[in-house]
Coordinates of all heavy atoms in Angstrom, one line a residue:
S654 N -15.4 -15.9 31.1 CA -16.0 -16.9 30.2 C -15.9 -16.4 28.8 O -16.1 -15.2 28.6 CB -17.5 -17.1 30.6 OG -18.3 -15.9 30.3
P655 N -15.6 -17.3 27.9 CA -15.5 -16.9 26.5 C -16.9 -16.4 26.0 O -17.9 -16.9 26.4 CB -15.0 -18.1 25.8 CG -15.3 -19.3 26.7 CD -15.4 -18.7 28.1
M656 N -16.8 -15.5 25.0 CA -18.0 -14.9 24.5 C -18.6 -15.9 23.5 O -18.0 -16.8 22.9 CB -17.8 -13.6 23.8 CG -17.0 -13.6 22.6 SD -16.9 -12.0 21.9 CE -15.6 -12.2 20.8
N657 N -19.9 -15.8 23.3 CA -20.7 -16.6 22.4 C -20.3 -16.2 21.0 O -20.5 -15.1 20.6 CB -22.2 -16.4 22.6 CG -23.0 -17.4 21.8 OD1 -22.5 -18.0 20.9 ND2 -24.3 -17.5 22.2
K658 N -19.7 -17.2 20.2 CA -19.2 -16.9 18.9 C -20.3 -16.5 17.9 O -20.1 -15.6 17.1 CB -18.4 -18.0 18.4 CG -17.1 -18.2 19.1 CD -16.2 -19.2 18.5 CE -15.0 -19.3 19.4 NZ -13.9 -20.1 18.9
T659 N -21.5 -17.1 18.0 CA -22.6 -16.8 17.1 C -23.0 -15.4 17.3 O -23.2 -14.6 16.3 CB -23.8 -17.8 17.4 OG1 -23.3 -19.1 17.3 CG2 -24.9 -17.5 16.4
V660 N -23.2 -15.0 18.6 CA -23.6 -13.6 18.8 C -22.5 -12.6 18.4 O -22.7 -11.5 17.8 CB -23.9 -13.4 20.3 CG1 -24.2 -11.9 20.6 CG2 -25.1 -14.3 20.7
G661 N -21.2 -13.0 18.6 CA -20.1 -12.1 18.2 C -20.1 -12.0 16.6 O -19.8 -10.9 16.1
I662 N -20.3 -13.0 15.9 CA -20.3 -13.0 14.5 C -21.5 -12.1 14.0 O -21.3 -11.3 13.1 CB -20.4 -14.4 13.8 CG1 -19.1 -15.1 14.1 CG2 -20.7 -14.3 12.4 CD1 -19.1 -16.5 13.7
L663 N -22.7 -12.2 14.6 CA -23.8 -11.4 14.2 C -23.5 -9.9 14.5 O -23.9 -9.1 13.7 CB -25.1 -11.9 15.0 CG -25.6 -13.2 14.5 CD1 -26.8 -13.7 15.4 CD2 -26.1 -13.2 13.1
C664 N -23.0 -9.6 15.7 CA -22.7 -8.3 16.0 C -21.6 -7.7 15.1 O -21.8 -6.5 14.6 CB -22.2 -8.2 17.5 SG -23.5 -8.5 18.7
S665 N -20.6 -8.4 14.7 CA -19.6 -7.9 13.8 C -20.2 -7.7 12.4 O -19.8 -6.8 11.7 CB -18.4 -8.8 13.8 OG -18.8 -10.1 13.3
T666 N -21.1 -8.6 12.0 CA -21.7 -8.4 10.7 C -22.6 -7.1 10.7 O -22.5 -6.4 9.7 CB -22.6 -9.6 10.4 OG1 -21.8 -10.8 10.4 CG2 -23.3 -9.5 9.0
V667 N -23.3 -6.9 11.7 CA -24.1 -5.6 11.8 C -23.2 -4.4 11.8 O -23.5 -3.4 11.1 CB -25.0 -5.7 13.1 CG1 -25.6 -4.3 13.3 CG2 -26.0 -6.7 13.0
V668 N -22.1 -4.4 12.5 CA -21.2 -3.3 12.5 C -20.6 -3.1 11.1 O -20.5 -2.0 10.6 CB -20.1 -3.5 13.6 CG1 -19.0 -2.4 13.4 CG2 -20.6 -3.4 15.0
L669 N -20.2 -4.2 10.5 CA -19.6 -4.1 9.1 C -20.6 -3.6 8.1 O -20.3 -2.7 7.3 CB -19.0 -5.4 8.7 CG -18.2 -5.4 7.4 CD1 -17.0 -4.5 7.5 CD2 -17.8 -6.8 7.0
L670 N -21.8 -4.1 8.2 CA -22.8 -3.6 7.2 C -23.2 -2.1 7.5 O -23.4 -1.4 6.5 CB -24.1 -4.5 7.4 CG -24.0 -5.9 6.8 CD1 -25.3 -6.7 7.1 CD2 -23.7 -5.9 5.3
G671 N -23.2 -1.8 8.8 CA -23.4 -0.3 9.1 C -22.3 0.5 8.5 O -22.6 1.6 8.0
L672 N -21.1 0.1 8.6 CA -19.9 0.8 8.0 C -20.1 0.9 6.5 O -19.9 2.0 5.9 CB -18.6 0.1 8.3 CG -17.4 0.6 7.6 CD1 -17.1 2.0 8.1 CD2 -16.2 -0.3 7.9
Y673 N -20.5 -0.2 5.8 CA -20.7 -0.1 4.4 C -21.8 0.8 4.0 O -21.7 1.6 3.0 CB -21.0 -1.5 3.8 CG -19.8 -2.4 3.7 CD1 -19.9 -3.8 3.7 CD2 -18.5 -1.9 3.6 CE1 -18.8 -4.6 3.6 CE2 -17.4 -2.7 3.5 CZ -17.6 -4.1 3.5 OH -16.5 -4.9 3.4
I674 N -22.9 0.8 4.8 CA -24.0 1.8 4.5 C -23.5 3.2 4.6 O -23.9 4.0 3.8 CB -25.2 1.4 5.4 CG1 -25.8 0.1 5.0 CG2 -26.2 2.6 5.4 CD1 -26.9 -0.4 6.0
L675 N -22.8 3.5 5.7 CA -22.3 4.9 5.9 C -21.4 5.3 4.7 O -21.4 6.4 4.3 CB -21.5 5.0 7.2 CG -22.4 4.9 8.5 CD1 -21.4 4.9 9.7 CD2 -23.3 6.1 8.5
I676 N -20.6 4.4 4.2 CA -19.6 4.7 3.1 C -20.3 4.8 1.8 O -20.1 5.7 1.0 CB -18.4 3.7 3.1 CG1 -17.6 3.9 4.4 CG2 -17.6 3.9 1.9 CD1 -16.5 2.9 4.5
I677 N -21.2 3.8 1.5 CA -21.8 3.7 0.2 C -22.7 4.9 -0.1 O -22.7 5.6 -1.1 CB -22.5 2.4 0.0 CG1 -21.5 1.3 -0.1 CG2 -23.5 2.5 -1.2 CD1 -22.2 -0.1 -0.1
W678 N -23.5 5.3 0.9 CA -24.5 6.4 0.7 C -23.9 7.7 1.2 O -24.6 8.7 1.2 CB -25.8 6.1 1.4 CG -26.6 5.2 0.6 CD1 -27.2 5.5 -0.6 CD2 -27.0 3.8 0.9 NE1 -27.9 4.4 -1.0 CE2 -27.8 3.4 -0.1 CE3 -26.7 3.0 2.0 CZ2 -28.3 2.1 -0.2 CZ3 -27.2 1.7 1.9 CH2 -28.0 1.3 0.9
E679 N -22.6 7.7 1.5 CA -21.9 8.9 1.9 C -22.6 9.7 2.9 O -22.7 10.9 2.8 CB -21.6 9.7 0.6 CG -20.7 9.0 -0.4 CD -20.4 9.8 -1.6 OE1 -21.0 10.9 -1.8 OE2 -19.5 9.4 -2.4
L680 N -23.1 9.0 4.0 CA -23.8 9.7 5.0 C -22.8 10.6 5.9 O -23.1 11.6 6.4 CB -24.5 8.7 5.9 CG -25.6 7.9 5.2 CD1 -26.2 6.8 6.1 CD2 -26.7 8.8 4.7
V681 N -21.6 10.1 6.0 CA -20.5 10.8 6.7 C -19.2 10.5 5.9 O -19.2 9.7 5.0 CB -20.3 10.3 8.2 CG1 -21.5 10.7 9.0 CG2 -20.1 8.9 8.3
H682 N -18.2 11.2 6.2 CA -16.9 11.0 5.6 C -16.4 9.6 5.9 O -16.6 9.1 6.9 CB -15.9 12.1 6.0 CG -14.7 12.1 5.2 ND1 -13.6 11.3 5.4 CD2 -14.4 12.9 4.1 CE1 -12.7 11.6 4.5 NE2 -13.1 12.5 3.7
R683 N -15.7 9.0 4.9 CA -15.2 7.7 5.1 C -14.3 7.5 6.4 O -14.4 6.5 7.1 CB -14.3 7.2 3.9 CG -15.1 7.1 2.6 CD -14.2 6.8 1.5 NE -13.3 7.9 1.4 CZ -12.7 8.2 0.2 NH1 -12.9 7.5 -0.8 NH2 -11.9 9.3 0.2
T684 N -13.5 8.5 6.6 CA -12.6 8.4 7.8 C -13.5 8.4 9.1 O -13.2 7.6 10.0 CB -11.7 9.6 7.9 OG1 -10.9 9.6 6.6 CG2 -10.7 9.4 9.0
F685 N -14.5 9.2 9.1 CA -15.4 9.3 10.3 C -16.2 8.0 10.4 O -16.4 7.5 11.5 CB -16.3 10.5 10.2 CG -17.1 10.8 11.5 CD1 -16.4 11.0 12.7 CD2 -18.4 10.8 11.4 CE1 -17.1 11.2 13.8 CE2 -19.2 11.0 12.6 CZ -18.5 11.2 13.8
A686 N -16.6 7.5 9.3 CA -17.3 6.2 9.3 C -16.5 5.1 9.9 O -16.9 4.3 10.7 CB -17.8 5.9 7.9
A687 N -15.2 5.0 9.5 CA -14.3 4.0 10.0 C -14.1 4.2 11.5 O -14.0 3.2 12.3 CB -13.0 4.1 9.3
M688 N -14.0 5.5 12.0 CA -13.8 5.7 13.4 C -15.1 5.3 14.2 O -15.0 4.7 15.3 CB -13.5 7.2 13.6 CG -12.1 7.6 13.2 SD -11.8 9.4 13.2 CE -12.2 9.8 14.9
I689 N -16.3 5.6 13.6 CA -17.5 5.1 14.3 C -17.6 3.6 14.4 O -17.9 3.1 15.4 CB -18.7 5.7 13.5 CG1 -18.8 7.2 13.6 CG2 -20.0 5.0 13.9 CD1 -19.9 7.8 12.7
A690 N -17.2 2.9 13.3 CA -17.3 1.5 13.3 C -16.3 0.9 14.2 O -16.6 -0.1 14.9 CB -17.1 0.9 11.8
S691 N -15.1 1.4 14.2 CA -14.1 0.8 15.1 C -14.5 1.0 16.6 O -14.3 0.1 17.4 CB -12.7 1.3 14.8 OG -12.7 2.8 15.0
T692 N -15.0 2.2 16.9 CA -15.4 2.5 18.3 C -16.6 1.6 18.7 O -16.6 1.1 19.8 CB -15.7 4.0 18.4 OG1 -14.6 4.8 18.0 CG2 -16.1 4.3 19.9
L693 N -17.5 1.5 17.7 CA -18.7 0.6 18.0 C -18.2 -0.8 18.2 O -18.8 -1.5 19.1 CB -19.7 0.7 16.8 CG -21.0 0.0 17.0 CD1 -21.7 0.5 18.2 CD2 -21.8 0.1 15.8
A694 N -17.3 -1.3 17.4 CA -16.8 -2.7 17.6 C -16.1 -2.9 19.0 O -16.4 -3.9 19.6 CB -15.7 -3.0 16.5
I695 N -15.4 -1.9 19.4 CA -14.8 -2.0 20.8 C -15.9 -2.0 21.8 O -15.9 -2.7 22.8 CB -13.7 -0.9 21.0 CG1 -12.6 -1.0 20.0 CG2 -13.2 -0.9 22.4 CD1 -11.8 -2.3 20.1
G696 N -16.9 -1.1 21.6 CA -18.0 -1.1 22.5 C -18.8 -2.4 22.5 O -19.3 -2.8 23.6
V697 N -19.0 -3.0 21.4 CA -19.7 -4.3 21.4 C -18.9 -5.4 22.2 O -19.4 -6.2 22.9 CB -19.9 -4.8 19.9 CG1 -20.3 -6.2 19.8 CG2 -21.0 -3.9 19.3
L698 N -17.6 -5.3 22.0 CA -16.7 -6.3 22.7 C -16.9 -6.0 24.2 O -16.9 -7.0 25.0 CB -15.2 -6.1 22.3 CG -14.8 -6.8 21.1 CD1 -13.4 -6.4 20.7 CD2 -15.0 -8.3 21.2
A699 N -16.9 -4.7 24.6 CA -17.0 -4.4 26.1 C -18.4 -4.9 26.6 O -18.5 -5.3 27.7 CB -16.8 -2.9 26.3
A700 N -19.4 -4.7 25.7 CA -20.8 -5.1 26.1 C -20.9 -6.6 26.3 O -21.7 -7.1 27.1 CB -21.8 -4.6 25.1
M701 N -20.1 -7.3 25.5 CA -20.1 -8.8 25.6 C -19.1 -9.3 26.7 O -18.8 -10.5 26.8 CB -19.7 -9.4 24.3 CG -20.7 -9.1 23.2 SD -20.3 -9.7 21.6 CE -20.7 -11.5 21.9
N702 N -18.7 -8.4 27.6 CA -17.8 -8.7 28.7 C -16.4 -9.3 28.2 O -15.9 -10.2 28.8 CB -18.4 -9.6 29.7 CG -17.8 -9.5 31.1 OD1 -17.2 -8.5 31.3 ND2 -18.1 -10.4 31.9
E703 N -16.0 -8.8 27.1 CA -14.7 -9.2 26.5 C -13.9 -7.9 26.2 O -13.8 -7.4 25.1 CB -15.0 -9.9 25.2 CG -13.8 -10.7 24.6 CD -13.4 -11.9 25.4 OE1 -14.2 -12.5 26.1 OE2 -12.2 -12.2 25.3
R704 N -13.3 -7.3 27.3 CA -12.6 -6.1 27.2 C -11.2 -6.2 26.9 O -10.4 -6.6 27.8 CB -12.8 -5.3 28.5 CG -14.3 -4.9 28.8 CD -14.5 -4.3 30.1 NE -15.8 -3.9 30.3 CZ -16.8 -4.7 30.7 NH1 -16.5 -5.9 31.0 NH2 -18.0 -4.3 30.9
P705 N -10.7 -6.0 25.7 CA -9.3 -6.1 25.4 C -8.5 -4.9 25.9 O -9.0 -3.8 26.1 CB -9.3 -6.1 23.8 CG -10.5 -5.3 23.5 CD -11.5 -5.6 24.5
T706 N -7.3 -5.2 26.3 CA -6.4 -4.1 26.8 C -5.9 -3.3 25.6 O -6.0 -3.7 24.4 CB -5.2 -4.7 27.5 OG1 -4.4 -5.5 26.6 CG2 -5.6 -5.6 28.7
M707 N -5.3 -2.2 25.9 CA -4.8 -1.3 24.8 C -3.7 -2.0 24.1 O -3.6 -1.8 22.8 CB -4.3 0.0 25.4 CG -3.9 1.0 24.3 SD -5.2 1.4 23.1 CE -6.2 2.5 24.1
A708 N -2.9 -2.8 24.7 CA -1.8 -3.5 24.1 C -2.3 -4.5 23.1 O -1.8 -4.7 22.0 CB -0.9 -4.2 25.1
V709 N -3.4 -5.2 23.4 CA -4.0 -6.1 22.5 C -4.6 -5.4 21.3 O -4.5 -5.9 20.2 CB -5.1 -7.0 23.3 CG1 -5.9 -7.8 22.3 CG2 -4.5 -7.8 24.3
I710 N -5.3 -4.3 21.6 CA -5.9 -3.5 20.4 C -4.8 -3.1 19.5 O -5.0 -3.2 18.3 CB -6.7 -2.4 21.0 CG1 -7.9 -2.9 21.7 CG2 -7.2 -1.4 19.9 CD1 -8.7 -1.8 22.5
I711 N -3.7 -2.6 20.0 CA -2.6 -2.1 19.2 C -2.0 -3.2 18.4 O -1.5 -3.1 17.3 CB -1.6 -1.3 20.0 CG1 -2.2 0.0 20.4 CG2 -0.3 -1.1 19.2 CD1 -1.4 0.8 21.4
S712 N -1.9 -4.4 19.0 CA -1.4 -5.6 18.3 C -2.2 -6.0 17.1 O -1.7 -6.7 16.2 CB -1.2 -6.8 19.3 OG -2.4 -7.3 19.6
W713 N -3.5 -5.6 17.1 CA -4.4 -5.9 16.0 C -4.0 -5.1 14.7 O -4.4 -5.5 13.6 CB -5.8 -5.7 16.3 CG -6.4 -6.6 17.3 CD1 -5.9 -7.8 17.7 CD2 -7.5 -6.4 18.2 NE1 -6.7 -8.4 18.7 CE2 -7.7 -7.5 19.0 CE3 -8.4 -5.4 18.3 CZ2 -8.7 -7.6 19.9 CZ3 -9.5 -5.5 19.2 CH2 -9.6 -6.6 20.0
V714 N -3.3 -4.0 14.9 CA -2.9 -3.1 13.8 C -1.8 -3.7 13.0 O -0.7 -4.1 13.6 CB -2.6 -1.7 14.3 CG1 -2.1 -0.8 13.1 CG2 -3.7 -1.1 15.0
D715 N -1.9 -3.9 11.7 CA -0.9 -4.5 10.9 C -0.1 -3.3 10.2 O -0.6 -2.7 9.3 CB -1.5 -5.4 9.8 CG -0.5 -6.2 9.0 OD1 0.7 -6.1 9.4 OD2 -0.8 -6.8 8.0
T716 N 1.0 -3.0 10.8 CA 1.8 -1.9 10.4 C 2.3 -2.0 9.0 O 2.4 -1.1 8.2 CB 3.0 -1.6 11.3 OG1 3.7 -2.7 11.5 CG2 2.4 -1.1 12.7
E717 N 2.7 -3.3 8.6 CA 3.2 -3.5 7.2 C 2.2 -3.1 6.2 O 2.5 -2.5 5.2 CB 3.7 -4.9 7.0 CG 4.9 -5.3 7.8 CD 4.7 -5.7 9.2 OE1 3.5 -5.9 9.6 OE2 5.6 -5.8 10.0
T718 N 0.9 -3.5 6.4 CA -0.1 -3.2 5.5 C -0.4 -1.7 5.4 O -0.6 -1.1 4.4 CB -1.4 -4.0 5.8 OG1 -1.1 -5.4 5.9 CG2 -2.5 -3.7 4.9
L719 N -0.4 -1.1 6.6 CA -0.6 0.4 6.6 C 0.5 1.1 5.9 O 0.2 2.1 5.2 CB -0.7 0.9 8.1 CG -2.0 0.5 8.8 CD1 -1.9 1.0 10.3 CD2 -3.2 1.1 8.2
L720 N 1.7 0.7 6.1 CA 2.8 1.3 5.4 C 2.8 1.1 3.9 O 3.1 2.0 3.1 CB 4.2 0.9 5.9 CG 4.5 1.3 7.4 CD1 5.8 0.7 7.9 CD2 4.6 2.8 7.4
L721 N 2.4 -0.1 3.5 CA 2.2 -0.3 2.0 C 1.1 0.6 1.4 O 1.3 1.2 0.4 CB 1.8 -1.8 1.8 CG 1.5 -2.2 0.4 CD1 2.7 -2.1 -0.5 CD2 0.8 -3.6 0.3
L722 N 0.0 0.7 2.1 CA -1.1 1.5 1.6 C -0.7 3.0 1.6 O -1.0 3.7 0.6 CB -2.3 1.3 2.5 CG -3.0 0.0 2.4 CD1 -4.1 -0.1 3.4 CD2 -3.6 -0.2 1.0
F723 N 0.0 3.4 2.6 CA 0.5 4.8 2.7 C 1.5 5.1 1.5 O 1.3 6.1 0.8 CB 1.2 5.1 4.0 CG 1.8 6.5 4.1 CD1 0.9 7.6 4.3 CD2 3.1 6.7 4.0 CE1 1.4 8.8 4.4 CE2 3.7 8.0 4.1 CZ 2.8 9.0 4.3
G724 N 2.4 4.2 1.2 CA 3.3 4.3 0.1 C 2.6 4.4 -1.2 O 2.9 5.2 -2.1
M725 N 1.6 3.5 -1.4 CA 0.9 3.5 -2.6 C 0.1 4.8 -2.8 O 0.0 5.3 -3.9 CB -0.1 2.3 -2.7 CG 0.6 1.0 -2.8 SD -0.4 -0.4 -2.7 CE -1.6 -0.2 -4.0
M726 N -0.5 5.3 -1.7 CA -1.2 6.6 -1.8 C -0.3 7.7 -2.2 O -0.7 8.6 -3.0 CB -1.9 6.9 -0.5 CG -3.1 6.0 -0.2 SD -3.9 6.4 1.3 CE -4.6 4.9 1.8
V727 N 0.9 7.8 -1.6 CA 1.8 8.8 -2.0 C 2.2 8.7 -3.4 O 2.3 9.7 -4.2 CB 3.1 8.7 -1.0 CG1 4.2 9.6 -1.5 CG2 2.7 9.1 0.4
L728 N 2.5 7.5 -3.9 CA 2.9 7.3 -5.3 C 1.8 7.7 -6.2 O 2.0 8.4 -7.2 CB 3.2 5.8 -5.5 CG 3.7 5.4 -6.9 CD1 5.1 6.1 -7.1 CD2 3.9 3.9 -7.0
V729 N 0.5 7.3 -5.9 CA -0.6 7.7 -6.8 C -0.8 9.2 -6.8 O -1.1 9.8 -7.8 CB -1.9 7.0 -6.4 CG1 -3.1 7.6 -7.0 CG2 -1.8 5.5 -6.7
A730 N -0.6 9.9 -5.6 CA -0.8 11.3 -5.6 C 0.3 12.0 -6.4 O 0.0 13.0 -7.1 CB -0.7 11.8 -4.1
V731 N 1.5 11.5 -6.4 CA 2.6 12.2 -7.2 C 2.3 11.9 -8.6 O 2.4 12.8 -9.5 CB 3.9 11.6 -6.7 CG1 5.0 12.0 -7.7 CG2 4.3 12.1 -5.3
L732 N 1.9 10.7 -9.0 CA 1.6 10.4 -10.4 C 0.4 11.2 -10.9 O 0.4 11.6 -12.1 CB 1.4 8.9 -10.6 CG 2.7 8.0 -10.5 CD1 2.3 6.6 -10.6 CD2 3.7 8.4 -11.6
A733 N -0.6 11.4 -10.1 CA -1.7 12.2 -10.5 C -1.4 13.6 -10.8 O -1.9 14.2 -11.7 CB -2.8 12.1 -9.5
E734 N -0.4 14.2 -10.0 CA 0.0 15.5 -10.3 C 0.8 15.7 -11.6 O 0.7 16.7 -12.2 CB 0.9 16.0 -9.1 CG 0.2 16.2 -7.8 CD -0.7 17.4 -7.9 OE1 -0.4 18.4 -8.5 OE2 -1.8 17.4 -7.3
T735 N 1.4 14.6 -12.0 CA 2.2 14.7 -13.3 C 1.4 14.5 -14.5 O 1.8 14.8 -15.6 CB 3.3 13.7 -13.3 OG1 2.8 12.4 -13.2 CG2 4.3 13.9 -12.1
G736 N 0.1 14.0 -14.3 CA -0.7 13.8 -15.5 C -0.6 12.4 -16.1 O -1.1 12.2 -17.3
V737 N 0.1 11.5 -15.5 CA 0.3 10.2 -16.0 C -1.0 9.5 -16.3 O -1.2 8.8 -17.3 CB 1.2 9.3 -15.1 CG1 1.2 7.9 -15.5 CG2 2.6 9.9 -15.1
F738 N -2.0 9.6 -15.3 CA -3.2 8.9 -15.5 C -4.1 9.5 -16.6 O -4.8 8.7 -17.3 CB -4.0 8.9 -14.2 CG -3.3 8.2 -13.0 CD1 -3.0 8.8 -11.9 CD2 -3.0 6.8 -13.2 CE1 -2.3 8.1 -10.9 CE2 -2.3 6.2 -12.2 CZ -2.0 6.8 -11.0
D739 N -4.0 10.8 -16.8 CA -4.7 11.4 -17.9 C -4.1 10.9 -19.3 O -4.9 10.5 -20.2 CB -4.6 12.9 -17.9 CG -5.3 13.5 -16.7 OD1 -6.3 12.9 -16.2 OD2 -4.9 14.5 -16.2
Y740 N -2.8 10.8 -19.3 CA -2.2 10.3 -20.5 C -2.6 8.9 -20.8 O -2.9 8.5 -22.0 CB -0.6 10.5 -20.4 CG 0.1 9.8 -21.6 CD1 0.2 10.5 -22.8 CD2 0.7 8.6 -21.4 CE1 0.9 9.9 -23.8 CE2 1.4 8.0 -22.4 CZ 1.5 8.6 -23.7 OH 2.1 8.0 -24.7
L741 N -2.5 8.0 -19.8 CA -2.9 6.6 -20.0 C -4.3 6.5 -20.4 O -4.7 5.6 -21.1 CB -2.6 5.9 -18.7 CG -1.1 5.7 -18.3 CD1 -0.9 5.0 -17.0 CD2 -0.4 4.9 -19.4
A742 N -5.2 7.3 -19.8 CA -6.6 7.2 -20.2 C -6.8 7.6 -21.7 O -7.6 6.9 -22.4 CB -7.5 8.1 -19.3
V743 N -6.2 8.6 -22.2 CA -6.3 9.0 -23.6 C -5.7 7.9 -24.5 O -6.2 7.6 -25.5 CB -5.6 10.4 -23.8 CG1 -5.5 10.7 -25.3 CG2 -6.4 11.5 -23.1
Y744 N -4.5 7.4 -24.0 CA -3.9 6.3 -24.8 C -4.7 5.1 -24.9 O -4.9 4.5 -26.0 CB -2.5 6.0 -24.2 CG -1.7 5.0 -24.9 CD1 -1.1 5.3 -26.1 CD2 -1.6 3.7 -24.5 CE1 -0.4 4.4 -26.8 CE2 -0.9 2.7 -25.2 CZ -0.3 3.1 -26.4 OH 0.5 2.1 -27.0
A745 N -5.3 4.7 -23.8 CA -6.2 3.5 -23.8 C -7.4 3.8 -24.7 O -7.9 2.9 -25.4 CB -6.7 3.2 -22.4
F746 N -8.0 5.0 -24.7 CA -9.1 5.3 -25.5 C -8.7 5.2 -27.0 O -9.4 4.6 -27.8 CB -9.6 6.7 -25.2 CG -10.8 7.1 -26.1 CD1 -12.0 6.6 -25.8 CD2 -10.6 8.0 -27.1 CE1 -13.1 7.0 -26.5 CE2 -11.7 8.4 -27.9 CZ -12.9 7.9 -27.6
K747 N -7.5 5.7 -27.4 CA -7.0 5.6 -28.7 C -6.8 4.1 -29.2 O -7.2 3.7 -30.3 CB -5.8 6.4 -28.9 CG -5.9 7.9 -28.9 CD -4.6 8.6 -29.1 CE -4.8 10.1 -29.0 NZ -3.5 10.8 -29.1
V748 N -6.3 3.3 -28.3 CA -6.0 1.9 -28.6 C -7.4 1.2 -28.8 O -7.5 0.4 -29.7 CB -5.2 1.2 -27.5 CG1 -5.2 -0.3 -27.6 CG2 -3.8 1.8 -27.5
M749 N -8.3 1.5 -27.9 CA -9.7 0.8 -28.0 C -10.3 1.2 -29.3 O -11.0 0.4 -30.0 CB -10.5 1.2 -26.8 CG -10.0 0.6 -25.5 SD -9.9 -1.2 -25.6 CE -11.6 -1.7 -25.7
N750 N -10.2 2.5 -29.7 CA -10.8 2.9 -31.0 C -10.2 2.2 -32.2 O -10.8 1.8 -33.2 CB -10.7 4.4 -31.2 CG -11.8 5.1 -30.5 OD1 -12.9 4.5 -30.1 ND2 -11.7 6.4 -30.2
K751 N -8.8 2.0 -32.2 CA -8.1 1.3 -33.2 C -8.6 -0.1 -33.3 O -8.8 -0.7 -34.4 CB -6.6 1.4 -33.1 CG -6.1 2.8 -33.4 CD -4.6 2.8 -33.2 CE -4.0 4.2 -33.5 NZ -2.6 4.3 -33.3
L752 N -8.7 -0.8 -32.1 CA -9.1 -2.2 -32.1 C -10.6 -2.3 -32.6 O -10.9 -3.2 -33.3 CB -9.0 -2.7 -30.7 CG -7.6 -3.0 -30.2 CD1 -7.7 -3.4 -28.7 CD2 -7.0 -4.1 -31.0
K753 N -11.4 -1.4 -32.2 CA -12.8 -1.4 -32.7 C -12.9 -1.2 -34.2 O -13.7 -1.9 -34.8 CB -13.6 -0.2 -32.0 CG -15.0 -0.2 -32.2 CD -15.7 0.9 -31.4 CE -17.1 1.0 -31.8 NZ -17.8 2.1 -31.1
F754 N -12.0 -0.3 -34.7 CA -12.0 -0.1 -36.2 C -11.5 -1.4 -36.9 O -12.0 -1.8 -37.9 CB -11.1 1.1 -36.5 CG -11.0 1.3 -38.0 CD1 -12.0 1.9 -38.7 CD2 -9.8 1.0 -38.6 CE1 -11.9 2.1 -40.1 CE2 -9.7 1.2 -40.0 CZ -10.7 1.8 -40.7
L755 N -10.5 -2.1 -36.3 CA -9.9 -3.3 -37.0 C -10.9 -4.4 -36.9 O -10.9 -5.3 -37.8 CB -8.6 -3.7 -36.3 CG -7.4 -2.7 -36.5 CD1 -6.2 -3.1 -35.7 CD2 -7.1 -2.7 -38.0
L756 N -11.7 -4.5 -35.9 CA -12.6 -5.6 -35.7 C -13.9 -5.5 -36.6 O -14.7 -6.4 -36.7 CB -13.0 -5.8 -34.2 CG -11.9 -6.3 -33.3 CD1 -12.4 -6.3 -31.9 CD2 -11.4 -7.6 -33.7
Q757 N -14.1 -4.3 -37.1 CA -15.3 -4.1 -37.9 C -15.2 -4.6 -39.3 O -14.5 -5.0 -40.0 CB -15.7 -2.6 -38.1 CG -16.2 -2.0 -36.8 CD -16.5 -0.5 -36.9 OE1 -16.2 0.1 -37.9 NE2 -17.1 0.0 -35.9

């Protein structure tokens, strides 16, 4: 039988809010918080008698998005090592001071 959508939405909202609480107040590391929330979500599905197979769970993973995020993280890590962000912060500060002086 299909699961009750109202109960499913409420359970998913509770899991998501719990994840946000763990991350915002830094109760545990973000990675561990994500693992807790994902395991809890699968547990909630199992408790609602909606047990997805491993193939279905893996099909939920969007590899293109993960690869995009991974590439962006590598790019930011390399740029941070070169000092580009520090240079841009100082440059933006100088530009803002010039604009502030011109507007006075």
